[in-house]
Amino acid sequence: MVDLVPIITNDAFREIFQSMSEGIIMVNREGLIVAANPVAEHEFGYNKHELSGMSLELLLPSRYRGGHIHFRQGFNARPEPRKMGLGRDLRALKKDGTEFPVEISLSYTSVNGKLLVMAFISDISARKKSEEDLKRSEEQLIIYAAELEKKVQSRTEDLNVTIQKLEKEITERKRAEAESVKALESERELNDLKTKFVAIASHEFRTPLSTILSSVSLVEQYKQLGELDKIDKHTSRVKSSVKHLTAILNDFLSLGKLDEGKVDVVNEINDIKILFRNIIEEITPNLKSGQNIRLQIKTKKAQITSDPRIVRNVFFNLLSNASKYSGPDQMIFLTIGDDDKFLKITLQDEGIGIPDEDHKHLFERFFRAGNATTIQGTGLGLNIVKRYVELLGGSISFESKFEVGTTFLVSIPLNESNK
């Protein structure tokens, strides 16, 4: 490195030059480097003083060197402070031959009557990588949104089929029982079901779809601002809304299959501990902050002959409800016992409980307790659970105290022959 004393005579300025966090290179009219601070040497991968006397063009990829000479000569003719390469991606060349993106600002000074050009150089590799990651995230979000649109379209078609079947059922009931009071009551019941079905589907779909739409719109704004943390937040909101939509659609499809008698019980021999631990492991990521499921296995039976898919659906739904209607940091207790013929499963939460006046309606289709109307739900879950338990030859009951908690007791035959 050329000694800075003839060039920078002020000791304070020399110290500032050496300690700057930005790379600085000083070049004479001939394009030879006369000074470079430690940051510049580090950026380009050169040892101390090694840049001194080198041609500036050697720090550029070979494809740019010829054109840069003309740019340098033009700046020497009319020097003025400015940013270099506005609107273009600038690339620099390390000693080992690798390229990296840079931002460069130019200035100049005169020492002993000779022009010296100062280049302030910033390695923006990290920023470029963030921009590329952001672009990939945006592309993935677009793909995700397209897949979601297809899924919603497919599920909407399934819903339309279900609605058509409900309408057909209403028509058939009206024709068969038109002259009886029972026919009138049945017609009213089916109309109420249809109204509730359409109202709940409309309400429950509108909220997550609105969330998805707003989040996708905001992602574009945050992309321009480079606020990656906010993009991650809205991506999570999209995923959460998709999970909610999927849960709603699964409830409607399960209801349709049960109504049509298309749910077959396929019994298998299941290890009780493994069966329930797998269910808990699957539901745990969906629990609220601080919630925990305490499993106690008091039965000495090792196995149960039943349909593991239906058992999983029953307790995944009950555990989801226990979490949804309980606050953060509250416990959920799952106790497994038996009475020789039946597996006895008790599920207790510390949640909002069920008002006494709502107990008799709890397992009805589309029913929601009076203190649960502000919490997302379709009112189908417990109706589906009860019908699944009965398919297994079992029973379900509950006890609940308002604002204290709820306990469900499920009995399932240990062996197929007990049903």
Side-chain angles (χ1 to χ4, degrees), residues 253-267:
L253 293 176
S254 295
L255 179 65
K257 289 180 180 179
L258 285 166
D259 285 342
E260 296 168 11
K262 291 185 177 180
V263 179
D264 297 322
V265 178
V266 181
N267 289 307

Side-chain angles (χ1 to χ4, degrees), residues 10 19 68 75 88 131 144 174 190 225 241 262 285 289 294 301 305 325 331 341 351 397 402 406:
N10 185 290
S19 62
H68 186 265
F75 185 89
R88 294 184 290 119
E131 291 174 352
Y144 193 70
K174 287 174 65 176
L190 288 171
L225 297 174
S241 296
K262 291 185 177 180
S289 174
R294 182 174 296 171
K301 307 292 185 182
T305 301
Y325 298 113
M331 293 294 299
K341 291 185 178 181
S397 60
F402 183 61
T406 302

